[in-house]
Amino acid sequence: MPKPSKPSRKTPSPNEWVLEIQRLKQELGALDKRLDESKLAIGKLTEELQAKNQELEAQRFIERQVTKLTEELRQRDLRIQRELDLAREIQERMLPVFLPDVPGVKVAIRYTPTDKVGGDLYDIMELGSGCLGILVADVSGYGLPAALVMAMSKMAFKTFAANEYSPKAVIAKVNANLCENTLEGQFLTAFFAILDSQTLRMKYVNASHCCPVLARKGGFELLDTDGLFVGMFDSASYEEKEVQLRAGDKLLFYTDGIVDAFSGNGRAFGRERLHDLIQRHAESDVETLAALIVDSLEKHTGGRKAEDDITLVGLEIEPREAEQWRLIIPSDPTELARVESAILPCLESKGYSQRCLFAVRLAVEEAVINAIRHGNQLDKAKKVTIDFSVDAEKATIVIADEGDGFDLAAVPDPTQDENLEVEHGRGIVLMRAYMDKVEYSKKGNVVTLVKFAPWLSSV
Amino acid sequence: MQVECRDSGDATVVMARGSIGEMEADLLFKKFAEAFARNRHKIILDLTDVDLITSTGIGVIMTVYKTTRSHGGYIRIVNPQPLIRDVFVTTKLVKIIPICATLEEAQQQA
């Protein structure tokens, strides 16, 4: 293998140096230029990078914002939900937990609140002396505002009903109170009644609320009066009406949630359908009737969630148990007062009209005086026995003396022209005219007087 | 029952309040008897505030009717409530005893 030869170098000439330097300069220039170019490129890249960074930053910012807003929204939803829960709780607490147990009055309640709290309100209050306050109302609007007005209304009704025995006076006071304490546009429609469970007389005021229905054997009545919304106009005045209830009567109070409930194809349940249903089943007891109405409503809406609260309060007057007693008095006319005060308040409490009470009072006085004066001849040792009984249909009073009786046929008719001027003997004529039945025993010392309940009597 | 009497022109107005039955008949008749004792036999019986009248009360009125008639006088009834008026209709006494709406009407009757 040959030995590598040492490169031979020739010392460059000055010209060559110059050329070499020029070449190097050129190379350096090119390098410089390339460096500059690189710098530019790097700068551009840096810019791009920065832009990218900013973009990323913005995106992150947006993401952060979205997260924040989402959270805010969630909190707001929670707050609204909490408010609704609160409103619902207020509404639920405003409804009676225990309904008063009033003998002779049966109650059936159906109540379904809507999720958004519709402001329906009902109450049955015991007002003392056997009187019941009945309230069914619907507050305008939904949610917390409705629940608050509802709470105020309930308290106002309860407070004023405790001191006033007229629904008109109660509702006027509630109106004044609410006008002072609610915001504009907050009001309620209300039906308020006071039912005397002894006399079965019910006084009521309907302040623009859905008319309750009174369903009775062979009858159907809507309970309406004049009167604007409650809590809207401080000058509002209310009309009061009164109705005499009787055994078997059913009252149905409700709110517009029932009649306005829509079916799948947008048809409202409607008043006619409700009235028709009640009329067709007027003989059913109130619990059955309430169940029928709710069933029919559910069929109509196809089980869809209700848009508004649904409230149905049913009342039924139950037949009273028969009452009977015996009173034995000496043959003394001053005992009459005792007989009357034993009979008349009892009949009055059962709903006997003033006309019926007049008739019974007159006939009983005639019969008892006849027994004392003519039967027992004012002999105080002899007694007069009075047997009294009353049931859903009639009052029966049997008056017996210890005398020898008399011959009914022998008593001249005092209404004949020739007898008109006689001073005695009109008692039997009056008893016959005013009672539904007057029967003497064969001997003539026992008379039975019957007065049909006013709703069955022709008098 | 409460009874008030006052003279008004040539008539004596008897105003009764409450019920006119067995327990009240004597008191009522006493008031009429006082008027007869003063030789007043034109009687106007105001029943506005009477809430019950029985056959005994009617008996008193019949006695007054006969007494006043025998002295050339009369008894007229003023303003009975519908239930009380019915008693006069039922007993047919409306045929012989005039029932007037007002005191003036009773006084103006011939």
Side-chain angles (χ1 to χ4, degrees), chain A residues 10 68 74 97 216 229 380:
Chain A
K10 181 175 90 171
K68 199 176 141 200
R74 206 176 62 85
V97 183
R216 52 171 48 159
F229 310 118
K380 286 190 183 172

Side-chain angles (χ1 to χ4, degrees), chain A residues 125-230:
Chain A
M125 320 159 211
E126 233 168 339
L127 303 177
S129 316
C131 284
L132 275 185
I134 303 150
L135 170 68
V136 180
D138 189 357
V139 177
S140 61
Y142 293 94
L144 202 51
L148 290 176
V149 175
M150 205 182 125
M152 271 198 278
S153 314
K154 153 125 179 175
M155 298 324 290
F157 270 104
K158 215 170 182 103
T159 307
F160 296 127
N163 303 312
E164 298 282 351
Y165 279 92
S166 143
K168 183 177 161 172
V170 172
I171 218 158
K173 286 196 168 177
V174 172
N175 180 58
N177 187 276
L178 289 184
C179 279
E180 234 173 73
N181 296 308
T182 53
L183 303 174
E184 212 168 291
Q186 292 186 314
F187 61 88
L188 55 146
T189 66
F191 183 92
F192 183 65
I194 296 179
L195 166 64
D196 185 328
S197 67
Q198 297 293 310
T199 64
L200 296 183
R201 273 199 273 272
M202 186 176 82
K203 293 186 278 187
Y204 62 91
V205 171
N206 189 346
S208 307
H209 194 76
C210 307
C211 292
V213 177
L214 165 60
R216 52 171 48 159
K217 212 171 174 183
F220 179 89
E221 200 180 315
L222 297 177
L223 306 181
D224 198 12
T225 66
D226 285 337
L228 290 168
F229 310 118
V230 183

Side-chain angles (χ1 to χ4, degrees), chain A residues 415-417 420, chain B residues 65 88-89 91-99:
Chain A
T415 60
Q416 292 296 312
D417 282 351
L420 272 185
Chain B
Y65 168 78
F88 287 92
V89 174
T91 51
K92 302 224 160 91
L93 292 185
V94 282
K95 285 186 180 175
I96 53 174
I97 298 177
I99 296 184

Side-chain angles (χ1 to χ4, degrees), chain A residues 355 365-366 373 417 421, chain B residues 22 55 66 69 86 95:
Chain A
R355 196 178 172 80
E365 177 155 345
E366 297 293 352
R373 199 176 277 284
D417 282 351
E421 293 183 13
Chain B
E22 182 71 16
S55 61
K66 286 194 261 188
R69 192 181 52 182
D86 273 358
K95 285 186 180 175

Side-chain angles (χ1 to χ4, degrees), chain A residues 372-440:
Chain A
I372 291 173
R373 199 176 277 284
H374 305 300
N376 291 346
Q377 304 284 319
L378 288 168
D379 178 353
K380 286 190 183 172
K382 290 184 175 171
K383 309 286 184 206
V384 175
T385 304
I386 298 121
D387 282 301
F388 172 79
S389 68
V390 60
D391 58 25
E393 289 177 357
K394 61 186 184 304
T396 307
I397 306 136
V398 182
I399 294 155
D401 60 58
E402 298 175 8
D404 299 329
F406 70 105
D407 180 9
L408 191 59
V411 180
D413 179 355
T415 60
Q416 292 296 312
D417 282 351
E418 66 272 22
N419 298 331
L420 272 185
E421 293 183 13
V422 299
E423 286 158 35
H424 302 287
R426 291 187 179 81
I428 297 171
V429 168
L430 288 174
M431 283 189 267
R432 289 229 157 100
Y434 282 90
M435 296 302 273
D436 293 306
K437 218 191 268 178
V438 178
E439 278 170 4
Y440 276 92

